[in-house]
Amino acid sequence: DQGGISPNDVMKEFKETTERDEFLAREILDLEKSAQSLTNLIQDLEEKLDTMFGDGISKINKQFKEFFALMFGGGEASLNVIREKKRKKGPSAEEMAEMGIESLPEEGEEETELGVDIQVNLPRKKIKSLEMLSGGERALTSIALLFAISQVNPPPFIILDETDAALDEANSRRYGDMIENLSKYSQLIVVTHNRETMSRAKVLYGVTIGADGGSK
């Protein structure tokens, strides 16, 4: 017994410390296993998402080509996945000040961003890119793409709110053909002022504004 500490106290403290050390070792082992399990799960999910994304793009492309050809009386359109390298954004000046950093190297790390590019081939025209289309043609292409996306997993119903507002008479007929095709898979509720679109409706509701400003 030296300094008031008995051998029993030392053994007790040694035993407690040993048990604590063994407990922490087991905890670390469990954490390492969990970390590895999560890493494997993330890898599996990334592979699954990549596969689902690729399959989704293929399905959209199939529908997109059909709707595009219907809208333009021929031609082809497709979605292409593109990868763009962008320089990573560094922390803001305020964040650097909080971290005690005065400046960062000019060259930052590059990161890859996924995106989609639309390629079009209009009938009887040498047009290959979306930028070369007129406003009306872009509107038709956008509508065809939206309809194509909706048909990958058709919803019970779709609400279209004046999506035909910018279309001329010829394009309105094509739009009418498209919504008739779409109605085979989903019930459509269409808000429109277009007579061609209204002529395709199975049930038509008229809305007017009275003197009090309320819709009836």
Side-chain angles (χ1 to χ4, degrees), residues 50-68:
D50 285 344
T51 301
M52 292 176 66
F53 181 73
D55 291 344
I57 290 291
S58 297
K59 291 176 181 177
I60 290 171
N61 262 329
K62 183 180 177 182
Q63 293 288 336
F64 188 27
K65 288 177 181 178
E66 292 179 7
F67 279 119
F68 186 86

Side-chain angles (χ1 to χ4, degrees), residues 1-164:
D1 187 358
Q2 296 179 356
I5 301 175
S6 68
N8 289 336
D9 291 337
V10 172
M11 290 304 296
K12 182 180 179 182
E13 185 176 347
F14 172 76
K15 184 179 178 181
E16 289 175 352
T17 304
T18 302
E19 288 175 352
R20 179 68 177 168
D21 184 64
E22 289 174 352
F23 171 77
L24 290 175
R26 288 195 300 270
E27 289 289 295
I28 291 171
L29 185 61
D30 287 343
L31 287 172
E32 288 174 347
K33 288 180 179 178
S34 297
Q36 185 60 49
S37 178
L38 287 172
T39 300
N40 294 338
L41 178 61
I42 290 169
Q43 186 176 351
D44 290 343
L45 285 174
E46 286 178 346
E47 291 174 0
K48 187 175 181 180
L49 286 171
D50 285 344
T51 301
M52 292 176 66
F53 181 73
D55 291 344
I57 290 291
S58 297
K59 291 176 181 177
I60 290 171
N61 262 329
K62 183 180 177 182
Q63 293 288 336
F64 188 27
K65 288 177 181 178
E66 292 179 7
F67 279 119
F68 186 86
L70 183 63
M71 287 298 274
F72 288 96
E76 291 186 354
S78 64
L79 281 178
N80 300 309
V81 179
I82 57 174
R83 295 176 182 270
E84 288 188 347
K85 286 187 176 180
K86 290 190 175 182
R87 182 173 294 177
K88 275 189 178 180
K89 291 182 179 179
S92 64
E94 292 80 4
E95 291 170 335
M96 287 194 295
E98 288 179 4
M99 292 185 289
I101 301 173
E102 294 183 1
S103 62
L104 292 173
E106 289 187 8
E107 292 186 4
E109 292 182 16
E110 288 187 338
E111 58 182 1
T112 301
E113 267 189 8
L114 278 180
V116 291
D117 184 39
I118 299 175
Q119 294 293 321
V120 296
N121 185 8
L122 292 183
R124 300 172 296 280
K125 288 186 180 181
K126 292 183 178 180
I127 293 178
K128 299 292 183 184
S129 66
L130 199 63
E131 290 76 15
M132 298 175 68
L133 298 180
S134 66
E137 289 167 341
R138 288 188 190 185
L140 288 175
T141 303
S142 300
I143 293 168
L145 178 56
L146 288 172
F147 285 1
I149 293 171
S150 74
Q151 291 313 288
V152 172
N153 186 17
F157 66 90
I158 300 173
I159 299 176
L160 303 172
D161 188 359
E162 298 195 38
T163 50
D164 55 359

Side-chain angles (χ1 to χ4, degrees), residues 208-216:
T208 59
I209 299 178
D212 60 353
S215 298
K216 297 181 181 178

